[in-house]
Amino acid sequence: MQILSMQILPTLARSTLLACTTLIACGASHAAGCNFEIQGEGRVAAVVDARSLRLDDGREIKLAGIEVADKAKATATLSALLVGREVTLRGQDDTPDRYGRQPAYTFLKGSETPVQSELLRQGLALVSSEIADKDCAAALIAAESEARTARSGTWAEAKVIKNAESPDDILAGIGRFTVVEGRVLSVRQAGATTYLNFGRNWTRDFALTISRRIVPAFEAAGLAPKSLENRRIRVRGWVEARRGPRIELLRVGQIELLGGN
């Protein structure tokens, strides 16, 4: 990921502000899925980091639904867009995280589009694997797709999306949030776990795992594990090493069906 020098940030902030003034006019399709109940409102006093901000009343807010791809540029963008402005906080759960931050989808007052969409649209963030609501996940993925098509931000790099047929490349990102594409060769169950295998060597190749208790949610969404056999998919999540590289599927929004199946 690119890291900006401190000398570049002021210029970036000014140009970002010009770009971000169009946020309110951005397509409402990027907002509809994340327009949850209001959890609060306030004025932004400061941007703490690439995904956190502080309100005038001292509350710290964590931008839900995204993983930051470029910390320096994301911080500059948020600062230009939010500092000194009124925001509305929306979400399904306002329980603070372990750092005391309230997770929320953050909307400029009068806007129908969360600021998360702007970071995604500029290629400064990726859609998280932690979104439980499939409509919200789909809305944010649409914003991410704009950046991918335009090769904006992090998408200018050729290897953002990993090839499922290159397990060593995926394994190099152990412990990192990763996006992987490939064809599911087989679906097998072992005990309480279902494996979606992308290679024939089960001890080395890339695979997805689904716990038995999660399977009904995928079935209800039309993504029954067995139905994914021989289909090309894009998946996102945190890479673990369990013999070969693994990503655990916990939410329906982690999977996208790709064309050419």
Side-chain angles (χ1 to χ4, degrees):
M1 305 299 177
Q2 297 178 345
I3 301 298
L4 298 185
S5 69
M6 294 304 294
Q7 291 82 0
I8 294 175
L9 288 179
T11 301
L12 173 64
R14 289 193 294 272
S15 62
T16 298
L17 180 58
L18 293 175
C20 291
T21 54
T22 63
L23 181 58
I24 294 178
C26 287
S29 62
H30 289 175
C34 302
N35 205 6
F36 301 114
E37 292 184 5
I38 294 177
Q39 295 179 341
E41 297 177 332
R43 182 184 296 273
V44 178
V47 169
V48 178
D49 58 36
R51 62 182 303 179
S52 305
L53 52 98
R54 184 182 298 111
L55 303 184
D56 277 350
D57 60 10
R59 281 178 293 167
E60 286 205 11
I61 309 302
K62 173 186 174 183
L63 297 182
I66 59 171
E67 301 293 340
V68 176
D70 189 318
K71 293 181 180 180
K73 288 185 179 180
T75 301
T77 296
L78 290 176
S79 296
L81 178 62
L82 296 179
V83 173
R85 302 187 69 180
E86 298 287 338
V87 294
T88 299
L89 310 174
R90 295 180 178 271
Q92 294 175 301
D93 184 0
D94 61 358
T95 303
D97 66 9
R98 60 180 176 172
Y99 302 108
R101 300 173 300 180
Q102 175 186 340
Y105 294 91
T106 303
F107 295 73
L108 284 170
K109 192 170 184 178
S111 173
E112 295 184 352
T113 305
V115 297
Q116 284 90 331
S117 287
E118 183 63 17
L119 294 181
L120 292 165
R121 213 166 52 80
Q122 292 191 35
L124 306 180
L126 302 173
V127 177
S128 169
S129 61
E130 299 178 355
I131 306 173
D133 185 276
K134 67 176 183 178
D135 292 330
C136 181
L140 295 184
I141 284 173
E144 181 187 275
S145 295
E146 285 190 29
R148 187 168 60 249
T149 298
R151 299 187 67 80
S152 300
T154 191
W155 296 104
E157 301 178 19
K159 295 184 178 181
V160 177
I161 297 180
K162 303 300 183 182
N163 186 339
E165 296 180 6
S166 302
D168 290 339
D169 190 26
I170 300 171
L171 199 58
I174 184 171
R176 300 176 188 171
F177 185 81
T178 305
V179 182
V180 181
E181 286 184 5
R183 186 177 299 277
V184 179
L185 294 185
S186 65
V187 178
R188 299 285 186 270
Q189 186 168 339
T193 302
T194 298
Y195 291 84
L196 278 64
N197 300 301
F198 290 77
R200 303 193 185 283
N201 186 334
W202 298 353
T203 64
R204 179 183 179 278
D205 290 330
F206 176 64
L208 305 175
T209 62
I210 311 178
S211 169
R212 179 183 295 162
R213 62 184 176 81
I214 302 295
V215 169
F218 283 83
E219 292 175 337
L223 294 171
K226 196 64 178 177
S227 73
L228 298 175
E229 198 166 62
N230 294 317
R231 303 199 69 174
R232 283 188 54 78
I233 67 173
R234 179 182 300 128
V235 63
R236 62 190 66 226
W238 300 90
V239 176
E240 301 174 287
R242 299 180 184 174
R243 296 185 179 179
R246 304 283 184 264
I247 288 179
E248 184 178 9
L249 294 179
L250 298 171
R251 298 170 183 85
V252 171
Q254 287 178 254
I255 288 182
E256 298 171 70
L257 297 178
L258 301 178
N261 280 298

